[in-house]
Amino acid sequence: MMRFVLLLLVAAGALITGPLLAGNKGYVLIAIGTYTVEMTVISACLLALMLYAALLVLEAILGRLFGLRSATRRWFTSRQHQKARIQQHNGLLALAEGDWARAEKLFQSSARRSDDTLESLLAAAEAANAQGATERRDAYLQQLVNDYPEAELAAGMLKARLQLRHGEKAAATATLEALRADYPKHDGLGKLLAESTLASGSATALETLLPQLPDPNDETLARNLPLYTQVIRAAAHDQAALHQRWQQLPKNWRQRPELLAEYARQLLQLQAEAAAAEALVDGLRKSAAIPLLEVIPGFTQPQPALLAALQRHPAGSSAALALATGWLLLLQRDYPQAQQCFEQAIAMQPDARAYQALARLMEQQRLFEKASEYYRLSLRQGTVS
């Protein structure tokens, strides 16, 4: 635009100064070899202006031609990306519908049409794994790492999850152990490695599991509790192995009521009631935690030390405490005190277990009509697993 303005200004100047110079036109001689060109100064200026205008017109034409080519290229690129987005959208729907083959085909095509292949390759790996095509699955994930080196951890963890889903437990563990060497402090990787190790069921693999699990604090316990309990259950084939596994756990783990309750529960299943009672007594010295109290109705023999530990806590502080105390009193055949505790538990929180305990108490006193009534009340509260 500025060039045209400048051209107009020069032309206007020529129109103004032209008449003034009409009486003295000047002379311009251009000689090139045997050729000569003669003209007045005014004619030379006008010719120069015409040549300059012609160059501007030529520049505009060429710019329009090249711009059209660029716009055409952008249109085709935009169309390719739009097709890729449509195919990715349809692929996600097919993946959700379980049409694995169609989903994989759509994601493959989407990855070819788009420069952004991350989502398509991840989803294509999922679809291939669902079809049992592990080689294609691994090829998609390797291509993902090649295109996006920063996605190495994400691709590796997804590969391990897919391997676990496909039953390749040893391969999943190997994949995660290789990643662990490069990402030793990644919590999610440690948890997944723990799941893979537990899934393998190898006794030697369990020895390497404990360092991978995060400490069970309040934030992580609920999320990782199945892992912690599986560690305990994996050694519950006999009392000696279970005790050895329990002692191998860090001390702060053994102080968690949820894990201590699981340990005592496994001891009860092994009919080691004395050892289970001893473990619960240690835990109850600190607090009458609900998980510990819920284990007590699993005892079948009197436990005086455990009953004494319960009675150190304020009576009536919770329905679980009243029920646990009543159960131990029932095992000692202290029926009046046991009945009082059960009725106290029901008054605080009606529960099927408390009604069933009352029914058992009545049966032992040969009060069968009352026992039947309490059994009916327990059914109304729901059956106990």
Side-chain angles (χ1 to χ4, degrees):
M1 183 65 182
M2 290 300 298
R3 294 177 181 178
F4 287 103
V5 172
L6 181 60
L7 182 60
L8 291 174
L9 291 175
V10 172
L15 290 174
I16 294 172
T17 58
L20 299 176
L21 299 174
N24 185 10
K25 298 180 180 180
Y27 179 73
V28 175
L29 174 63
I30 301 174
I32 304 175
T34 58
Y35 299 95
T36 59
V37 178
E38 299 179 5
M39 65 185 75
T40 62
V41 173
I42 294 176
S43 299
C45 290
L46 291 174
L47 180 60
L49 288 173
M50 291 174 64
L51 289 173
Y52 183 67
L55 288 173
L56 290 177
V57 172
L58 179 62
E59 181 186 27
I61 293 172
L62 292 175
R64 179 62 61 86
L65 290 175
F66 284 109
L68 180 62
R69 180 179 175 184
S70 177
T72 303
R73 185 168 58 249
R74 286 196 301 270
W75 182 83
F76 278 111
T77 301
S78 175
R79 183 172 174 79
Q80 290 287 328
H81 289 169
Q82 184 179 8
K83 285 185 176 180
R85 286 194 297 270
I86 293 173
Q87 288 173 332
Q88 191 179 80
H89 173 81
N90 292 333
L92 289 172
L93 293 177
L95 192 67
E97 293 167 1
D99 192 349
W100 314 120
R102 180 169 176 267
E104 183 183 0
K105 184 178 179 180
L106 287 167
F107 288 127
Q108 273 184 318
S109 182
S110 173
R112 286 196 302 268
R113 292 178 182 275
S114 175
D115 295 332
D116 187 8
T117 60
L118 179 64
E119 295 86 352
S120 295
L121 290 173
L122 287 171
E126 290 260 11
N129 187 76
Q131 299 173 79
T134 58
E135 292 184 359
R136 293 204 306 271
R137 173 201 69 196
D138 295 345
Y140 291 134
L141 294 175
Q142 185 58 50
Q143 182 182 346
L144 177 65
V145 174
N146 293 339
D147 294 346
Y148 302 92
E150 70 278 8
E152 179 185 16
L153 176 60
M157 292 180 67
L158 176 61
K159 180 179 179 180
R161 290 192 185 95
L162 295 177
Q163 286 172 328
L164 284 173
R165 196 180 303 170
H166 195 253
E168 303 171 77
K169 300 172 184 177
T173 302
T175 298
L176 293 169
E177 286 177 347
L179 286 173
R180 190 69 170 178
D182 296 328
Y183 305 93
K185 297 182 179 180
H186 194 279
D187 290 341
L189 178 58
K191 180 182 177 183
L192 187 58
L193 179 57
E195 292 176 354
S196 175
T197 305
L198 283 169
S200 69
S202 169
T204 56
L206 280 172
E207 298 298 330
T208 64
L209 173 63
L210 295 180
Q212 311 296 340
L213 293 177
D215 288 339
N217 53 41
D218 292 334
E219 182 179 353
T220 63
L221 181 62
R223 185 171 66 251
N224 297 312
L225 186 58
L227 291 178
Y228 301 129
T229 54
Q230 285 184 59
V231 172
I232 297 171
R233 291 173 186 171
H237 48 85
D238 64 67
Q239 184 178 348
L242 179 60
H243 178 72
Q244 182 180 6
R245 173 66 65 199
W246 180 251
Q247 293 301 318
Q248 288 175 347
L249 298 181
K251 185 177 180 180
N252 60 327
W253 288 38
R254 287 179 276 143
Q255 293 174 349
R256 298 297 307 189
E258 296 86 352
L259 300 184
L260 181 56
E262 182 62 29
Y263 173 58
R265 193 174 290 111
Q266 295 302 320
L267 286 171
L268 287 178
Q269 291 185 5
L270 294 171
Q271 298 182 351
E273 294 198 7
E278 183 180 355
L280 291 176
V281 167
D282 291 338
L284 290 168
R285 287 196 183 104
K286 296 182 178 180
S287 67
I290 300 296
L292 301 179
L293 298 174
E294 289 179 342
V295 179
I296 291 175
F299 284 90
T300 60
Q301 301 296 326
Q303 302 294 335
L306 185 55
L307 177 60
L310 289 180
Q311 290 175 336
R312 293 192 188 100
H313 297 282
S317 58
S318 71
L321 176 61
L323 176 59
T325 304
W327 185 260
L328 293 178
L329 289 168
L330 174 62
L331 294 178
Q332 291 188 178
R333 299 182 179 276
D334 189 347
Y335 298 137
Q337 292 295 324
Q339 182 174 350
Q340 183 179 352
C341 288
F342 293 147
E343 291 173 348
Q344 187 179 36
I346 291 172
M348 288 187 285
Q349 183 179 344
D351 183 85
R353 293 172 300 177
Y355 282 117
Q356 288 182 357
L358 269 173
R360 179 169 174 174
L361 184 149
M362 296 303 166
E363 283 181 339
Q364 291 188 7
Q365 297 180 86
R366 307 186 67 80
L367 300 173
F368 298 115
E369 290 185 4
K370 287 187 176 181
S372 298
E373 180 183 352
Y374 285 127
Y375 277 127
R376 285 193 296 271
L377 290 172
S378 73
L379 291 175
R380 292 179 186 175
Q381 293 295 324
T383 58
V384 178
S385 59

